[in-house]
Amino acid sequence: MESVRKIIHVDMDAFYAAIEQRDNPELKGRPVVVGGSSKRGVVATASYEARKFGIHSAMPSSQAYRLCPHAIFLKPRFSIYRAVSQQIMDIIREYSELVEPLSLDEAYIDASENLKGMQYASKVAQDIRRRIQRETQLTASAGVAPNKFLAKVASDMNKPDGLSVIVPETVSVVLHKLPIRKIPGIGAVTERKLHKLGIRTVGDLRAISERQLIGTFGKMGSWFYRIARGEDRRAVIPHRARKSMSVERTFLEDLSDKFEIEQKLRFLAEELEERLSKRSLRGRTFTLKITYSDFEKATRSITTENAISSPDQFLQMGLELLKKTEVGNRPIRLIGIGISSFLGDEEEDKGPPPSETQLSLLGRDRLEPAP
Ligand code: DCP
Ligand code: MG
């Protein structure tokens, strides 16, 4: 018999927005929307007050503006968020050697053998929440369960500032109505496929036989079968901070047309921006990677003083660097772009943010909602 693991998932509440409200008391209790700095202008997160208007992450800022014109729109201050994240992760690491950060504001903790010798994982979770609150003046929610999947489901159950525990006896009740999108490995495409089969909740999924799931989804099918029953054996894997982020495409047929290559680059630029902003990473080095049709590789990079952070900038730099390769004259089979030299680690805390009046004077520090 495997021993039962005690897994905790900690997730900060309205992370970016909560930090903005903490640092500027005038924003407390008000709808605050923190938005991406790219041209596409999407909402990174919204305070719980703004969520009442239907505003949520990944929504176009223009739509958020229509839903709540009196919301306060702010540009993200990544270096501050990274510093707070560091503080939180340091607290968490006092409790276990097995900590796996998922993003700036989220981590799994294996508390089975915690460093404080506490018997109950729920006590560990409460302790962590209390310390985060005391040391950062921010609230975190936590979930405690026998595995990662259930711990993450649990942390979502009592948000904000809540703690939930899922024990084996409550698994099926808790999962019954959970939308399948919450299952790790189910993205938009698989979700659509399952919806077509009339499967919308984990309860629906549970009614399908393992054979049928494997028949339709292959290996993934047996993962779905187990996860629908709350079974998840993934380990908490502590990892080091990431040093770079990149995206690439290998083509079915080698490409030599400059216009087509530029199109590919455009897609990659958007994709890279999305991945970076998900993890709130910004860096100063841009790298272009090419593999020619004969497998010879070429990389070119640029390092700048400030963060390179919009898809437009990625595209500009990509095109600039392409000129320094043989692209156009020689067919390529792969193109990739990436960002490294991340900001935050070496960057100093810039102190408290300007007050609201200063903010409105500094037009550029406000996120301009599209008309
Ligand atoms: N984030 C982002 N773009 C997204 C989702 C999130 O830039 N599409 C950023 C902003 C969030 C942070 O990551 O503050 C953490 O993401 P969460 O999904 O945990 O959302 P919040 O912490 O903001 O809210 P919640 O209380 O729901 O956890
Ligand atoms: Mg969060």
Side-chain angles (χ1 to χ4, degrees):
M1 251 290 286
E2 268 177 68
S3 67
V4 178
R5 306 258 85 193
K6 300 171 184 174
I7 309 297
I8 303 172
H9 179 253
V10 172
D11 187 339
M12 301 296 292
D13 304 315
F15 190 51
Y16 297 0
I19 293 175
E20 296 306 332
Q21 288 179 319
R22 175 194 74 175
D23 291 350
N24 185 351
E26 287 172 46
L27 302 180
K28 289 211 171 96
R30 296 176 60 185
V32 172
V33 178
V34 181
S37 47
S38 88
K39 261 194 175 171
R40 287 177 305 147
V42 292
V43 173
T45 195
S47 69
Y48 278 79
E49 294 84 358
R51 292 183 197 193
K52 286 187 200 141
F53 294 87
I55 298 173
H56 57 75
S57 295
M59 168 183 280
S61 304
S62 52
Q63 193 182 346
Y65 180 74
R66 281 194 297 274
L67 287 169
C68 183
H70 66 280
I72 294 129
F73 289 80
L74 299 169
K75 270 194 180 181
R77 297 182 301 149
F78 292 109
S79 58
I80 310 280
Y81 308 152
R82 288 175 66 81
V84 176
S85 175
Q86 189 67 55
Q87 238 184 319
I88 294 159
M89 299 300 169
D90 285 348
I91 293 174
I92 294 175
R93 287 202 173 90
E94 283 183 34
Y95 290 81
S96 172
E97 273 166 10
L98 297 176
V99 174
E100 179 178 339
L102 295 177
S103 66
L104 283 188
D105 87 321
E106 231 183 302
Y108 287 120
I109 303 144
D110 189 329
S112 311
E113 281 147 45
N114 62 80
L115 298 170
K116 305 271 184 188
M118 291 177 177
Q119 189 183 354
Y120 297 106
S122 53
K123 168 85 173 69
V124 176
Q126 270 309 27
D127 233 60
I128 290 175
R129 284 183 355 98
R130 223 171 279 142
R131 283 209 38 207
I132 289 177
Q133 162 90 60
R134 204 182 309 145
E135 289 171 36
T136 69
Q137 287 81 51
L138 297 166
T139 62
S141 295
V144 181
N147 62 49
K148 282 180 161 182
F149 170 57
L150 293 173
K152 187 158 174 147
V153 169
S155 73
D156 221 22
M157 280 165 44
N158 247 327
K159 255 185 175 299
D161 201 13
L163 173 76
S164 303
V165 180
I166 296 179
V167 293
E169 293 72 28
T170 56
V171 170
S172 54
V173 178
V174 164
L175 293 186
H176 194 67
K177 286 192 173 158
L178 193 77
I180 46 165
R181 190 61 187 269
K182 300 275 181 183
I183 293 176
I186 297 192
V189 176
T190 313
E191 184 185 40
R192 232 174 290 136
K193 219 165 159 184
L194 285 163
H195 280 178
K196 273 200 196 127
L197 298 169
I199 302 165
R200 303 197 151 261
T201 65
V202 175
D204 297 338
L205 190 62
R206 206 173 165 141
I208 315 291
S209 75
E210 184 169 19
R211 239 177 101 189
Q212 202 178 341
L213 286 173
I214 293 173
T216 317
F217 297 99
K219 264 192 184 163
M220 220 31 181
S222 74
W223 164 255
F224 293 162
Y225 181 81
R226 278 181 282 123
I227 213 84
R229 283 153 186 79
E231 292 164 24
D232 172 12
R233 281 188 240 149
R234 289 174 302 161
V236 172
I237 300 166
H239 48 209
R240 279 169 278 123
R242 144 193 305 279
K243 292 270 177 260
S244 69
M245 169 84 74
S246 57
V247 292
E248 59 179 48
R249 280 284 179 292
T250 306
F251 312 121
L252 290 174
E253 282 170 40
D254 297 340
L255 280 189
S256 5
D257 183 70
K258 271 189 170 167
F259 181 73
E260 259 183 88
I261 293 169
E262 185 181 326
Q263 283 304 341
K264 302 289 179 195
L265 203 55
R266 213 178 278 278
F267 279 119
L268 288 175
E270 294 283 342
E271 196 177 322
L272 182 60
E273 208 271 333
E274 202 173 303
R275 292 216 189 162
L276 288 165
S277 69
K278 247 186 210 155
R279 287 169 186 261
S280 306
L281 292 169
R282 295 190 329 144
R284 298 184 297 111
T285 301
F286 176 89
T287 304
L288 172 79
K289 185 170 85 174
I290 296 290
T291 306
Y292 295 107
S293 54
D294 60 1
F295 290 90
E296 196 195 318
K297 294 181 194 329
T299 54
R300 301 282 182 273
S301 47
I302 310 180
T303 298
T304 58
E305 197 132 330
N306 297 310
I308 311 162
S309 57
S310 71
D312 282 346
Q313 265 184 307
F314 299 154
L315 181 63
Q316 281 316 314
M317 292 193 171
L319 293 174
E320 206 53 49
L321 292 177
L322 271 180
K323 288 186 203 153
K324 299 185 180 172
T325 67
E326 293 171 70
V327 167
N329 303 319
R330 222 172 134 184
I332 61 170
R333 64 188 322 268
L334 175 148
I335 184 168
I337 55 173
I339 286 284
S340 51
S341 317
F342 291 135
L343 306 186
D345 307 331
E346 76 277 11
E347 219 178 49
E348 287 299 315
D349 190 321
K350 298 242 169 62
S355 73
E356 244 205 315
T357 26
Q358 281 171 310
L359 275 179
S360 27
L361 293 173
L362 290 169
R364 64 187 169 82
D365 265 355
R366 278 205 159 204
L367 175 74
E368 315 248 31

